[in-house]
Amino acid sequence: MKPLVRNATLSNYVELSQSLGIDPRNLMKRVGLDAAGLAVQDRWISGEAVIQLLELSAAASHREDFGLLLAERRRFSTLGPISLVLREEPDVRSAVELLVRHEHMYNEMLHSRLSEANGLATLKVNLELGEAMAARQATELAMGAFHQVLRTFLGARWQALSVCLTHSAPVDPATHRRIFGPVVEFDSEFNGVVFYGSDLNVPNPMSDPLLRTYARQFFDSIAVSRDTTLLDRVRDLIEVLLPTGRCSVEQVAGSLGVDRRTVHRHLAAAGETFSSVLNTTRARLAEQLVANPRRSLTEISDLLGFSAPSAFSRWFREQFGCSARDWRARRSGRRPDQRSGRPAPSPSPPATRATTRAADSSPPTRPCAPTSATSPTT
């Protein structure tokens, strides 16, 4: 399967793009990504799509340093849950080794290695793409991120002995020199950072020995759960693809680098179908979105991938036994007929026998209970 990366890889991408005068949403749409989804940093998306997006953005903005500029905007917390553990490691060596050993927790394309020889330490950074494709921007993003982590531990004035990049120098290397210093080297044999081995023994100034045990216990719990299955990946990709209106088993299979039969086979082994996972995911998202009064129902319909609000309305009633508007009103503790602040209508006149018979013959519907399960959980 093709590797995935966390949404946090594109942290501040929209802001950087807008500052350079390009339309980030249009570029993301071209590679099958959705800007709204970036708000959920721990969601996994296609690594290939991210690489293509960065190359398109560099070309559109006429900035060969786009990936490096994005790395400069990263924060330590961008690494996700593992950053909480890194902060409590006793020294730079243990922090870097932990980061390298568990890189799959934040980027499945990334394959880095730390080695020491003759008093020097070398942190090599590789991206395994699975196919030949331009990845200059993604490489510089990864290199900039690692360099930033080292400076977090060693201080803002710390300087590597050399920062090596396998690709050629840009027309204007000013950004590279500003971030990496005068030691940046292009057309090198590998991508990586070379520095004194003694730097690895520097104590971590952020570490609190009293918190280290708790941090490790927390990490052990999330490290085990990060062994994702294909079912987990399908759920994540469905969430990403729904707002684009292109959520299909073919699109999901393409993002995973397999064919649709492989997806169907794995889901069947887990007792699921693509339709059941899609419906369960939609129902879970619908509960979250409809509960938010700031979201219009038309907007929610789009975010859930429906072709029209009427299709969303029919689906919602089938799932929840009432309209989305009534569900929202009951969730907020109001009577459905008071959702607009209007007084409740006067009681209807007594029903005639004809209307009573018609009501008795109507098929029963499920109660409108916003907190009840909407479909079997997976």
Side-chain angles (χ1 to χ4, degrees):
M1 293 184 292
K2 293 182 180 179
L4 305 178
V5 300
R6 290 173 64 248
N7 256 341
T9 302
L10 293 175
S11 179
N12 291 310
Y13 166 78
V14 171
E15 293 79 3
L16 173 60
S17 299
Q18 291 174 336
S19 72
L20 297 177
I22 60 176
D23 183 355
R25 288 168 177 79
N26 181 54
L27 292 173
M28 293 186 73
K29 187 175 181 180
R30 286 176 60 182
V31 298
L33 297 178
D34 176 58
L38 295 183
V40 185
Q41 292 208 342
D42 287 325
R43 182 178 294 164
W44 291 80
I45 55 178
S46 166
E48 179 180 306
V50 169
I51 289 176
Q52 293 173 345
L53 176 65
L54 294 177
E55 294 298 322
L56 287 172
S57 301
S61 61
H62 305 289
R63 294 297 298 254
E64 292 181 280
D65 56 358
F66 188 91
L68 200 54
L69 291 172
L70 188 59
E72 190 175 28
R73 290 172 173 248
R74 289 169 68 96
R75 301 173 60 184
F76 192 69
S77 58
T78 305
L79 290 167
I82 197 173
S83 65
L84 300 175
V85 190
L86 292 175
R87 295 179 70 92
E88 308 307 330
E89 290 300 292
D91 51 41
V92 178
R93 183 189 307 279
S94 59
V96 173
E97 288 179 345
L98 184 71
L99 191 61
V100 170
R101 187 164 60 251
H102 296 281
E103 59 195 7
H104 63 278
M105 292 184 61
Y106 52 91
N107 190 327
E108 293 180 346
M109 294 190 302
L110 191 60
H111 290 271
S112 50
R113 183 167 60 89
L114 177 66
S115 60
E116 294 180 74
N118 302 320
L120 300 180
T122 302
L123 178 60
K124 292 186 176 181
V125 180
N126 294 310
L127 296 179
E128 295 193 2
L129 312 178
E131 61 181 275
M133 59 187 304
R136 178 188 184 112
Q137 303 305 320
T139 297
E140 292 197 353
L141 172 59
M143 286 287 295
F146 269 114
H147 187 267
Q148 189 178 70
V149 167
L150 288 170
R151 277 198 167 170
T152 299
F153 291 113
L154 295 167
R157 295 185 179 181
W158 173 80
Q159 181 68 68
L161 294 175
S162 61
V163 175
C164 306
L165 295 167
T166 58
H167 50 255
S168 59
V171 175
D172 181 5
T175 302
H176 295 74
R177 290 173 180 163
R178 175 170 56 81
I179 292 177
F180 294 134
V183 298
V184 61
E185 300 176 9
F186 297 94
D187 297 312
S188 299
E189 295 182 354
F190 64 91
N191 295 305
V193 184
V194 181
F195 52 100
Y196 288 116
S198 57
D199 288 341
L200 293 170
N201 300 323
V202 174
N204 175 12
M206 299 182 289
S207 176
D208 182 344
L210 297 178
L211 291 177
R212 192 173 304 147
T213 300
Y214 297 110
R216 278 289 185 168
Q217 290 174 349
F218 163 73
F219 179 74
D220 289 342
S221 67
I222 63 172
V224 173
S225 64
R226 190 57 266 169
D227 184 18
T228 57
T229 64
L230 186 136
L231 177 57
D232 296 322
R233 293 186 174 196
V234 169
R235 287 197 190 102
D236 288 340
L237 287 169
I238 285 175
E239 286 195 30
V240 172
L241 291 170
L242 274 175
T244 70
R246 299 191 302 274
C247 185
S248 65
V249 66
E250 289 82 8
Q251 286 285 343
V252 168
S255 296
L256 294 173
V258 299
D259 58 38
R260 57 180 295 172
R261 287 179 295 181
T262 300
V263 173
H264 286 312
R265 185 170 66 252
H266 280 271
L267 293 180
E272 297 281 358
T273 65
F274 183 77
S275 295
S276 69
V277 178
L278 172 62
N279 201 59
T280 302
T281 304
R282 259 183 173 154
R284 176 171 54 81
L285 292 174
E287 285 192 316
Q288 299 170 6
L289 294 170
V290 176
N292 183 353
R294 292 187 297 274
R295 295 274 193 186
S296 71
L297 297 184
T298 299
E299 181 184 7
I300 293 172
S301 172
D302 291 337
L303 291 173
L304 294 179
F306 287 96
S307 58
S310 57
F312 165 64
S313 297
R314 288 192 298 271
W315 173 85
F316 193 95
R317 186 175 290 278
E318 291 173 359
Q319 295 297 311
F320 294 85
C322 65
S323 70
R325 198 176 301 277
D326 286 350
W327 192 96
R328 173 177 284 177
R330 296 197 181 197
R331 180 66 175 247
S332 64
R334 296 172 297 179
R335 287 175 52 192
D337 52 18
Q338 294 176 327
R339 56 183 171 264
S340 301
R342 295 190 299 267
S346 352
S348 302
T352 62
R353 291 183 182 179
T355 57
T356 302
R357 283 198 302 270
D360 291 341
S361 63
S362 302
T365 59
R366 291 188 295 170
C368 181
T371 57
S372 63
T374 58
S375 56
T377 56
T378 55

